[in-house]
Amino acid sequence: MAQDEFSDISLNVQTSPVTYQVLRKEKALKRHHEEEKESYTRKKKMHEEDLNVNESDSEKPRGRISSLFGNNPDIPVFAHRVVKPVLEPLFSSQNFGDLPIHPFTVSNLEQNLGLTKLTTVQQKTIPLLLEGKDAFVRSQTGSGKTLVYALPVVEMLQKIRPKLARSDGVQAVVVVPTRELALQTYECFVKLVKSFTWLVPGYLVGGEKRKAEKARLRKGITILVGTPGRLLDHVQHTKALRLDRVCWLVLDEADRLLDMGYEKDIANFIEALNSQQQTESSLQTVLLSATLTSAVEKLAGLTLRSPVFVDAASDVPAEDLVIPQSLTQFYIVTPAKLRLVTLSAFIIWKCQMSEQKKMLVFCATQDMVDYITELMSSVVGQSYDVEFFKLHGSMTQKERTDVFKTFRSADSGVLLCTDVAARGLDLPRVNWIVQFTAPASPSDYVHRVGRTARVGTSGAALLFLTPSELQFLRQLEDRRIRLQEETMERCLKKLQDLGNSSSYLFQSVEVAATALQCQFENAVLERKELHTLACKAYVSWVRFYASYKKEARTAFNFKQVHLGHYAKSFALRDPPSVVGGIGKKYRPRASQDKRGSASAKRRGYSTTKHLETPEFSSGLNPIRKKRRKGKL
C-alpha cells in the first residue's frame, strides 16, 4: 500500500481520488492553522519578555530591541579651542533711588518686585529715555530689558497734568513677538502702575475674542501691549483704537519680530501710527534686541530719529555673543538611537536625585512636543512622579495662558516647548534649559539658554548633539561660546543607580537603558493614538531637519542622517518607509502621477496633506474679501 507525506491518509481500493484530495486539503489547512498559532504564541512571548525584562538572568539586554547599543557610530573626540567668553557686567553700582523718578516707584520696586540695584543696561538707558531721546538697545538676555522702557514710560505718563483719563486713549504702544511675552509685559506694567492707578495697561493678542478686546478698547487703555498681527487688525477694523495721542512706541525683541516675518505688519502699523500723529516730533521710539543683525539695523533706520545706541558690552564686537556669567553650559553627544532614553535618564536624574527640578526642553516641531509630552507623561511621569507640560503655537489661547501661568508658579516640572518660549519669557526658578533639538544658529542658542540664569540667578543648559553634528560646537566657539562635555554614560548610570535603589535590579547600564526603551516602544505599540502621534512627530522632524538653512548644513547635513536610527529615537519599530505612509488622510486623485507618488513613498515621504501652522501666528482668522460682481 503506497503512502504519501500524510501518514494518516492511505490509498486503497475503497478510497476514491476525490476523497483523497479532500483529506489532503483538510490536513494542509490544519497544519497552516497550527503554524499560525505557533507564530502568534512566539510573538506574544517575545512581547511579554519585553514587558517583563528580567535583568537578574544576564547582564546583556535581550529581546527585539537589543540593537539599541549595536551598529552605532563612534563618538569622536572633539578638539576644543581656547575660548575667552564675553564678560558683560550685569549689575551697576547705582540704585533705583539714584534715578530722577517718583519715590513711590522706588518703594514699589523694592517692596513688590524685590529690586534695588540697577543692571548695567538699565543704568545706561533709563536716564537717556527720561530725557526724551530715541534709543536702540542691545543687551544680553535676562538683563532686565523690560524695565529699561517700562519704567520711563510709567514715569513720564504719571507726570502729565491734568492726570490722564481713560478717555484720553492710548499713550504708549509696546510691540512684542509672542502672546506669552505680551502677557508677561502687561503684568509688569500692572505692577509698576500700582502707585498710579489712573494709568491703565491692556494687551491685545491672537486667540482672544475680538469683541471682548474691542470692549476693552472702548472703555479706555493708556498703555497697550500687543503682537503685531492683532494690533494691525484692530488698527484697520476697530474705530475705538485711536493712535493720534501715542507718545511712546516700543519694539521689543526686534530681531525675533523680523525673523518670524512680521516686518510687513510692523511697517504697516508704523505707517498707520505716523499718519494719525498730531505732531511728528511727539513720538518717542525705543527698539530693543539681544542680538544685532542687519535687518534690525534697517528697522532702526525706519523707526528711530537720531537714536542713541546703547550696548551694555560696548567694547565687544557685534559678531560675538554674550552669555550670562552665572550660566553653566554643557553638551552631550549621543548616537541617534539613544537620544530618547538619554533625555529621559537626564530628566529622571535631575528631577529625582537633585534639587534642580524645573526645566525647559526645546523640540523642533509642534508634533514633537505633543508626542514627547504624551509619551513622557505615560511612562516617566507615572513611574517617577514627574509632571510634564507643553507649550507651542497651535494650542488655544486659553491652553497657552493656563500652561504659562501654571508652570511659572510651579516649583518643579518639565515644560516641552518650541521656540515660541525662546524669547523674553521670565520663568522663575528654571534650573535647566535642555535643547533636545539643536538650534538653527548660535544666536538662537543664546536666546534659548537665556530662559535661565536671569538677573544674576544661577542656571545651567544642556545641548543634545549626534556625532555628525559636532561642528555646531565650532560655530559656537567662533562666537566666543564654549560648552563643557557631559557624557551619555553618566546619565544612563544615574538611571541604573535609581533603578537599583527601587524594586528593579539592573546589572548594567545597557540593561537599564534597554528596559526604559522597551517601556517606550511597548507604550507606542499598545496605544494606537500614541503610535499615530509618534509617526506624525517623526515625519515633522524629518521635514524640519531637511530645512536647515544653508549656512547651518555644515553641522546639520541631512545626507548624514540615518533615518532608521532616528525612528528608534521616536520609539518606533516601523521602518522609515512605512512610517511615512501611516495615518495618511489624503489620497492623490487617480489623474495624478501614480509613478511619482509611488517613488515618493519609496523614499520615505508621506503623501499626507501638510498644514503649516506659523509658530508665532497672530491667531486671527482670515478676513474674507467680498468678490466684486462683474458687469453683464
Side-chain angles (χ1 to χ4, degrees), residues 4-16:
D4 65 355
E5 67 271 22
F6 300 103
S7 58
D8 58 340
I9 302 175
S10 60
L11 282 174
N12 52 44
V13 294
Q14 289 82 16
T15 307
S16 67

Side-chain angles (χ1 to χ4, degrees), residues 406-430:
T406 303
F407 183 76
R408 190 167 56 175
S409 61
D411 294 325
S412 63
V414 179
L415 176 64
L416 290 113
C417 56
T418 58
D419 276 341
V420 75
R423 294 299 180 104
L425 295 189
D426 186 13
L427 300 168
R429 302 180 301 281
V430 170

Side-chain angles (χ1 to χ4, degrees), residues 243-402:
L243 304 176
D244 55 317
R245 296 189 180 183
V246 173
C247 54
W248 281 89
L249 174 63
V250 179
L251 301 177
D252 197 3
E253 300 290 348
D255 52 346
R256 194 56 172 176
L257 287 168
L258 299 177
D259 289 344
M260 300 315 300
Y262 281 136
E263 184 174 3
K264 187 176 180 180
D265 288 343
I266 294 172
N268 291 335
F269 177 78
I270 292 174
E271 182 181 355
L273 178 63
N274 290 334
S275 65
Q276 295 186 35
Q277 285 287 291
Q278 294 177 348
T279 57
E280 187 175 346
S281 60
S282 63
L283 182 65
Q284 185 174 352
T285 307
V286 186
L287 189 146
L288 304 99
S289 178
T291 54
L292 187 61
T293 64
S294 57
V296 172
E297 292 177 340
K298 182 180 177 181
L299 179 62
L302 294 174
T303 58
L304 304 178
R305 289 181 291 272
S306 302
V308 178
F309 177 64
V310 180
D311 193 341
S314 55
D315 57 342
V316 177
E319 63 271 12
D320 291 340
L321 297 174
V322 183
I323 296 291
Q325 298 180 36
S326 56
L327 176 67
T328 309
Q329 303 172 86
F330 300 92
Y331 72 94
I332 186 168
V333 184
T334 67
K337 288 193 290 187
L338 287 154
R339 280 168 53 83
L340 183 61
V341 291
T342 306
L343 172 65
S344 306
F346 182 80
I347 291 173
I348 294 169
W349 170 19
K350 295 303 177 183
C351 292
Q352 292 292 318
M353 306 174 69
S354 73
E355 296 300 322
Q356 301 170 329
K357 297 183 177 183
K358 194 172 182 180
M359 67 177 67
L360 264 67
V361 179
F362 283 95
C363 300
T365 68
Q366 299 173 4
D367 288 333
M368 281 185 68
V369 170
D370 288 335
Y371 167 61
I372 296 177
T373 303
E374 183 66 25
L375 182 67
M376 291 285 187
S377 298
S378 60
V379 177
V380 176
Q382 293 182 4
S383 301
Y384 297 95
D385 192 25
V386 180
E387 189 172 7
F388 291 90
F389 306 85
K390 68 176 181 179
L391 181 66
H392 60 67
S394 286
M395 297 167 61
T396 65
Q397 184 56 38
K398 185 179 185 306
E399 290 174 336
R400 290 174 65 167
T401 303
D402 290 345

Side-chain angles (χ1 to χ4, degrees), residues 7 59 87 118 130 177 193 215 252 369 420 478 480 543 564 607:
S7 58
E59 293 189 0
L87 298 179
L118 288 161
L130 291 174
V193 300
D252 197 3
V369 170
V420 75
D478 290 341
R480 294 179 66 175
R543 289 175 177 147
T607 54

Side-chain angles (χ1 to χ4, degrees), residues 463-491:
L463 172 65
F464 272 75
L465 296 172
T466 59
S468 65
E469 297 172 346
L470 279 174
Q471 188 61 32
F472 186 67
L473 295 177
R474 190 69 72 211
Q475 295 179 19
L476 291 174
E477 290 181 348
D478 290 341
R479 308 293 292 273
R480 294 179 66 175
I481 298 174
R482 180 174 178 178
L483 282 63
Q484 306 174 42
E485 185 177 8
E486 179 62 85
T487 63
M488 177 184 67
E489 290 75 14
R490 188 175 180 218
C491 290

Side-chain angles (χ1 to χ4, degrees), residues 151-172:
L151 193 61
V153 166
V154 172
E155 184 63 23
M156 299 299 284
L157 294 181
Q158 66 87 18
K159 286 183 178 179
I160 297 176
R161 294 294 182 273
K163 292 181 180 180
L164 291 170
R166 284 178 177 266
S167 58
D168 291 321
V170 179
Q171 303 290 318

Side-chain angles (χ1 to χ4, degrees), residues 230-243:
R230 182 48 65 97
L231 282 171
L232 182 61
D233 175 70
H234 279 289
V235 168
Q236 296 173 343
H237 302 101
T238 304
K239 293 182 179 179
L241 178 57
R242 294 170 50 200
L243 304 176

Side-chain angles (χ1 to χ4, degrees), residues 84-130:
K84 185 178 180 181
V86 178
L87 298 179
E88 179 181 310
L90 182 60
F91 288 101
S92 69
S93 58
Q94 286 190 342
N95 296 324
F96 283 100
D98 300 328
L99 295 174
I101 58 178
H102 200 287
F104 287 174
T105 302
V106 177
S107 60
N108 183 30
L109 289 169
E110 183 177 357
Q111 295 174 10
N112 297 317
L113 281 79
L115 300 174
T116 56
K117 191 174 286 294
L118 288 161
T119 63
T120 302
V121 67
Q122 291 168 353
Q123 181 263 329
K124 289 184 175 182
T125 311
I126 292 177
L128 296 173
L129 296 182
L130 291 174

